[in-house]
Amino acid sequence: MKPLLFLTYRSLVNGIRRALTSPKRLVSLVLIVGYYFWFFIRPGLVVSRQPGMDQFRIQLDHFSPAVVDAVLFGLFATMSVLLAFGIFSVKGGFKPADVDVLFPTPISPKIVLAFRIVRGYLGTLIFPLLIVLLMLPASRRGWTGLFHNANPGDSALAMKSMSLAWILMALCWVAIAYAVRLFIDRSDLKSDRNEKIIGWTLGLTILAVGIFLYFKFTQVQTARDAVAIAQHPFLRVVFFTASAATQMAMAPLTGNLFGAMLGASLMLAIIAAAIWAAMTQTNWMYDQAAAKAFSQSQTQKRVSQGDMVGEAAARAQTGKKKQYRKRWMHKVKACGPWALIWKEVFIQTRSAGGLLAILLVAGIAIGVLPFASPRDSSKGAPYFFLILQTMLVLMATLNVAMSGFIEMPRRVDLQKPLPFSPFSIVFAEVASKSIWGILVPFASCAIIVFLHPSWWGFALAVMAFSPGFSLVISATVFLITVLFPEEDDPTQVQFHRAVMLFAVVIAAAPGFGLAIGGLIVPALREWPFIPALVGGAFHVAIACILIFLASNLYATYNPSE
Amino acid sequence: MLEVFDLVKQYKNFRAVDGLSFSIKPGEIVGLLGPNGAGKTTALRCIAGILRPTAGTIRINGFDIVSQQAKAKSGLAFVPELPSLYELLTVDEHLQFVAMCFNRMDAYNRLGEELLKRYHLLEKKNELVATLSKGMKQKLAVACALIHEANVLMFDEPIIGIDPAGVHEIKQELQRAKQAGCAILVSTHLLDTAQNLCDRVIILARGKKLAEGTLDELRQDANMASGNLEEVFLKLTTEPDEAPPFLNV
């Protein structure tokens, strides 16, 4: 264990030291710390210092524990779905350096796995814990006050039990993910089948829940009916970890100590069983990690070199490459910087084709769903459609851009010698990552106009707004990636993640402000296309500024530094 | 001593190593040769305990690499081709980390500085591995492999990307280790290096052992009266109706 602690500690210290040696990264770090202090720590300090704040406690006697139970269960269930999908991402846990340096040493694989799980836990929990710690002073007052009349004795415990339940549930899923991953990642043919079974089971379960919720919500007459859905045994069984976490979190409010004990015990038992299951499979761990780390690094290397033939050959060697089909894109002749966009279409369809297909289906479903409900004619429905489409653009672009730009630092040697200015290269990179963020909502809008022609104005608004919005997201992601380019440096990765969403919000805020402001103006409400176009144009302008800034950084970027 | 019996490594539909057997005695250097994709690296990774063999037995100093992993690995040093190192450790910390893994801090205290000096890394000892050139990283990997004084050494393409002085040093290191009684397995594409350095060679193709022995024994296998290792290798690894790749224009 000592060498692993040494490795982690030294890597962390050296990583922080390295990150702080660059002025631009230092400035970014100060901004992040300032942001978190201002928005999370400061409110807590201010609230606690306000004289007479206790008198302003919200005391809502009619706000029953059943409502809180339903809300909590919903939150925990959503979180458990997200964590369950984490099963499919654990494979990135080991790096090529682990394979080449650590695995040939006599350190027991069980110790390596135990350490990995603990590190995984810390990685999973560090941000939730920080947020809990930072927000606790402010939210505890609200929460305590909310149920002060209902249960004055134990209401102060509610926040703590909620946080603990949240943490235990996250730990459950990290342990499950390790056990399942070791089971399905083996280098035998049965593992492929097992992975498909688990993937389909997960997918079908979510589909079943979606259908169940749809039918239940169409029958809802009162708020009480909606709350009762959360108590349905089907949901409580499917989201068993969420049920246990809710039982535990609600105990201080309901006084159900037995329920709390049961919930906590169930989650602890799941954690113990999953870790035991993982430990029994450690003999396979190095084998899987070596294959994954090696293939991943090789794949990244090939993609970064633009070696499509090598990548196709490697996939063919592992039996994953299907018969090659001619694509219409081959007939398109893109010259100059457009060639960068042209090749990116291939890379994205081959590397993220599945995800893009899912997003396309989601986009079409968003277009269709409002008409499946009898309330589709309500005034708010088109605006709801606008919000969902915007979310879709955000998801599609963020996914493609974040995964695509990871490769950017490695492509520098290939792209910089091309006869284009840094601005052209960065623009092409940014624009190519926006393609799907534009096409997906376009497809959805085409369907909405077909199904509901009177909504053409809103569909047109989406089509006017989404290109600029997608471009500004992509440009922001690129800028942050050039600022924190080291994907092997955990400190930089953490900074990168912390800054990303904040930066996207800041960059997109002006365009959004204009579009929303325009929609509020009564004269423009019938013409949503106009404010959307103005907002979209503003996004394009912001994107150009970001691309200009990023291209300056890109021009001086040296991957060897 | 290294013993490999009937080693098989299967990746789903693909058999990377198919029934490989050989042994290396103390004080012997054996070359593992083969065209790209022959299964050399996979075989080395199985021997190093990184990949789990589908079938077969691997013994290092008499210890089984699967059932007695820790004991077997204690006597083994492995230098991978283009090694991936921990970029955020300094050169000295990296060496120290490997010594700690093998529980050989005594060797680190005794040998650490000397190894860094021998491989011209002493001036870089407090610099991050990330700042090293490819050749420097390769040298550091070799130094890390030597820090715990193993008696079975495995090198996967040890001199690729290293400057002539480094190549010379590694060749000398191999000779020193040989004289110290180490069993050494070297996988390489450089046939002249193999001919000069190795006591005998094993030729792999498509995961199977095609031939094993000294140059004279290989000539006999190839039905050649004379010729260097390169010519013998091409004869053995080229299909009868297939021209050598460099002639295939």
Side-chain angles (χ1 to χ4, degrees):
Chain A
M1 190 63 89
K2 196 179 162 193
L4 298 174
L5 286 171
F6 175 82
L7 172 67
T8 309
Y9 172 70
R10 290 310 315 172
S11 299
L12 196 68
V13 168
N14 292 339
I16 290 170
R17 200 175 286 166
R18 193 184 188 205
L20 296 182
T21 51
S22 161
K24 65 185 179 190
R25 288 172 193 153
L26 189 61
V27 168
S28 304
L29 180 64
V30 169
L31 284 175
I32 301 161
V33 172
Y35 167 76
Y36 278 108
F37 177 82
W38 190 260
F39 287 102
F40 293 109
I41 300 177
R42 193 184 135 273
L45 296 175
V46 170
V47 167
S48 60
R49 282 181 195 161
Q50 289 288 325
M53 273 305 288
D54 287 348
Q55 293 168 13
F56 291 96
R57 278 180 178 162
I58 310 158
Q59 296 178 351
L60 302 173
D61 292 334
H62 65 276
F63 206 23
S64 82
V67 176
V68 182
D69 183 284
V71 172
L72 270 185
F73 178 72
L75 287 173
F76 283 136
T78 309
M79 191 184 155
S80 68
V81 171
L82 296 175
L83 289 167
F85 276 108
I87 289 173
F88 299 98
S89 66
V90 174
K91 55 189 167 192
F94 287 104
K95 294 185 289 187
D98 293 322
V99 178
D100 283 352
V101 182
L102 182 62
F103 293 179
T105 69
I107 293 181
S108 163
K110 282 192 167 65
I111 292 177
V112 173
L113 178 63
F115 193 81
R116 181 68 45 179
I117 291 175
V118 171
R119 224 174 75 170
Y121 276 172
L122 290 176
T124 307
L125 293 176
I126 194 150
F127 272 102
L129 275 175
L130 271 177
I131 290 170
V132 166
L133 285 174
L134 295 176
M135 295 190 69
L136 200 59
S139 43
R140 187 167 48 198
R141 280 175 179 277
W143 189 255
T144 310
L146 200 62
F147 287 94
H148 189 69
N149 283 356
N151 200 344
D154 295 325
S155 60
L157 279 174
M159 194 67 196
K160 286 175 190 165
S161 68
M162 258 176 62
S163 306
L164 195 63
W166 177 20
I167 288 165
L168 274 178
M169 202 184 78
L171 298 189
C172 270
W173 282 101
V174 172
I176 291 170
Y178 272 101
V180 173
R181 211 59 244 184
L182 283 166
F183 180 64
I184 60 177
D185 260 353
R186 297 176 183 182
S187 55
D188 55 9
L189 286 169
K190 274 189 278 182
S191 303
D192 278 353
R193 185 199 61 196
N194 293 339
E195 183 164 15
K196 278 178 192 157
I197 290 171
I198 290 172
W200 276 104
T201 307
L202 206 58
L204 289 174
T205 307
I206 290 165
L207 186 69
V209 169
I211 293 168
F212 172 83
L213 287 177
Y214 174 75
F215 282 109
K216 282 286 174 189
F217 273 106
T218 52
Q219 294 162 6
V220 165
Q221 299 294 329
T222 62
R224 189 167 290 180
D225 293 342
V227 169
I229 294 172
Q231 296 293 339
H232 198 282
F234 172 69
L235 293 180
R236 293 283 164 164
V237 171
V238 168
F239 298 108
F240 55 98
T241 52
S243 306
T246 310
Q247 282 279 342
M248 190 179 160
M250 289 298 294
L253 303 177
T254 58
N256 184 0
L257 190 65
F258 176 73
M261 298 285 281
L262 196 68
S265 306
L266 179 66
M267 286 192 283
L268 288 172
I270 292 169
I271 293 168
I275 289 176
W276 174 81
M279 285 292 176
T280 57
Q281 303 178 82
T282 46
N283 284 339
W284 284 96
M285 185 176 68
Y286 282 3
D287 189 82
Q288 294 167 20
K292 292 288 174 191
F294 181 70
S295 67
Q296 275 176 353
S297 66
Q298 288 300 310
T299 303
Q300 284 165 353
K301 204 171 163 185
R302 279 193 289 267
V303 172
S304 68
Q305 290 167 345
D307 182 8
M308 300 301 290
V309 178
E311 177 58 16
R315 288 178 64 79
Q317 196 177 28
T318 53
K320 288 179 181 169
K321 181 76 184 165
K322 289 176 185 167
Q323 191 156 3
Y324 194 71
R325 286 170 294 164
K326 280 191 177 177
R327 292 170 194 275
W328 62 270
M329 271 301 290
H330 285 116
K331 292 175 187 164
V332 177
K333 303 290 174 206
C335 296
W338 297 106
L340 294 173
I341 299 177
W342 182 84
K343 61 99 180 133
E344 199 65 31
V345 173
F346 287 105
I347 292 174
Q348 283 172 26
T349 40
R350 284 168 187 168
S351 61
L355 176 75
L356 293 169
I358 291 169
L359 286 171
L360 197 62
V361 171
I364 293 167
I366 288 170
V368 175
L369 273 178
F371 303 102
S373 163
R375 288 171 294 173
D376 64 316
S377 55
S378 72
K379 272 188 174 180
Y383 294 98
F384 186 59
F385 168 74
L386 284 184
I387 293 167
L388 289 178
Q389 290 295 332
T390 312
M391 293 294 289
L392 197 67
V393 178
L394 179 74
M395 277 164 59
T397 314
L398 263 185
N399 270 305
V400 172
M402 286 178 79
S403 58
F405 289 144
I406 287 171
E407 287 295 319
M408 183 278 296
R410 293 174 183 165
R411 286 187 191 153
V412 164
D413 288 345
L414 183 81
Q415 291 194 341
K416 272 196 175 180
L418 296 174
F420 314 130
S421 68
F423 186 88
S424 300
I425 293 175
V426 175
F427 181 82
E429 282 285 321
V430 166
S432 59
K433 301 296 186 298
S434 305
I435 291 171
W436 299 102
I438 299 166
L439 287 183
V440 168
F442 270 39
S444 180
C445 287
I447 288 176
I448 203 88
V449 171
F450 177 74
L451 289 171
H452 204 298
S454 66
W455 279 19
W456 67 270
F458 290 95
L460 211 57
V462 170
M463 291 161 97
F465 189 75
S466 57
F469 182 42
S470 186
L471 212 58
V472 87
I473 296 167
S474 184
T476 311
V477 175
F478 189 94
L479 182 64
I480 299 298
T481 309
V482 189
L483 274 169
F484 304 102
E486 300 286 334
E487 58 167 301
D488 290 331
D489 180 344
T491 332
Q492 279 204 30
V493 171
Q494 291 300 327
F495 288 171
H496 189 136
R497 285 178 188 163
V499 170
M500 189 63 76
L501 208 58
F502 174 57
V504 168
V505 169
I506 296 284
F512 255 101
L514 280 174
I516 293 168
L519 284 173
I520 292 168
V521 176
L524 292 173
R525 211 170 279 168
E526 293 302 312
W527 300 96
F529 169 74
I530 296 169
L533 189 66
V534 173
F538 210 81
H539 278 320
V540 174
I542 299 271
C544 285
I545 294 169
L546 294 174
I547 292 170
F548 174 74
L549 292 173
S551 62
N552 282 331
L553 290 169
Y554 181 78
T556 55
Y557 172 66
N558 177 5
S560 306
E561 267 178 8
Chain B
M1 182 166 184
L2 172 64
E3 298 158 292
V4 176
F5 303 106
D6 210 15
L7 174 66
V8 175
K9 179 61 191 175
Q10 177 100 21
Y11 290 110
K12 294 181 180 169
N13 294 319
F14 174 66
R15 186 163 281 208
V17 181
D18 191 359
L20 178 65
S21 297
F22 65 90
S23 66
I24 306 176
K25 292 186 219 108
E28 194 179 20
I29 302 180
V30 173
L32 189 61
L33 312 179
N36 292 331
K40 301 186 297 292
T41 299
T42 304
L44 293 186
R45 283 170 175 246
C46 287
I47 296 167
I50 296 170
L51 294 177
R52 185 186 167 95
T54 309
T57 309
I58 297 162
R59 286 203 203 102
I60 297 161
N61 297 323
F63 298 111
D64 187 275
I65 193 69
V66 176
S67 58
Q68 297 165 292
Q69 209 174 98
K71 284 178 180 168
K73 285 179 173 178
S74 295
L76 176 78
F78 175 48
V79 182
E81 181 186 6
L82 301 176
S84 298
L85 305 174
Y86 291 107
E87 307 259 295
L88 289 176
L89 293 184
T90 63
V91 169
D92 188 45
E93 284 167 357
H94 209 290
L95 203 60
Q96 193 181 339
F97 168 67
V98 175
M100 285 164 83
C101 288
F102 283 90
N103 205 14
R104 289 299 310 270
M105 281 306 284
D106 59 317
Y108 166 78
N109 292 329
R110 185 162 38 82
L111 285 175
E113 196 135 318
E114 189 198 319
L115 279 172
L116 293 179
K117 198 172 170 184
R118 199 186 294 169
Y119 288 98
H120 311 286
L121 291 164
L122 198 57
E123 286 174 9
K124 304 259 181 190
K125 70 182 275 192
N126 293 321
E127 289 187 23
L128 291 182
V129 171
T131 63
L132 299 183
S133 67
K134 205 188 287 179
M136 289 287 220
K137 283 180 186 168
Q138 184 84 1
K139 287 178 184 175
L140 176 59
V142 175
C144 287
L146 298 172
I147 192 69
H148 63 283
E149 300 178 301
N151 59 3
V152 176
L153 307 180
M154 288 200 306
F155 293 81
D156 193 358
E157 300 291 356
I159 55 178
I160 296 281
I162 293 190
D163 57 39
V167 170
H168 178 70
E169 188 51 56
I170 287 174
K171 284 180 178 173
Q172 279 196 328
E173 196 70 69
L174 290 173
Q175 291 299 339
R176 266 197 296 270
K178 178 186 171 173
Q179 276 153 23
C182 294
I184 304 161
L185 180 62
V186 181
S187 162
T188 181
H189 280 115
L190 304 174
L191 298 177
D192 53 342
T193 304
Q195 187 172 343
N196 296 332
L197 201 66
C198 302
D199 299 310
R200 61 192 167 91
V201 295
I202 297 162
I203 297 178
L204 272 185
R206 296 187 184 91
K208 289 185 175 169
K209 185 167 80 174
L210 289 185
E212 179 182 358
T214 61
L215 182 56
D216 287 338
E217 288 166 342
L218 293 179
R219 279 194 198 113
Q220 281 176 13
D221 283 352
N223 294 320
M224 291 171 77
S226 61
N228 59 19
L229 184 58
E230 185 175 301
E231 288 160 336
V232 174
F233 175 82
L234 288 173
K235 178 89 189 292
L236 285 167
T237 56
T238 310
E239 298 290 332
D241 56 345
E242 188 186 338
F246 58 87
L247 295 176
N248 198 3
V249 286

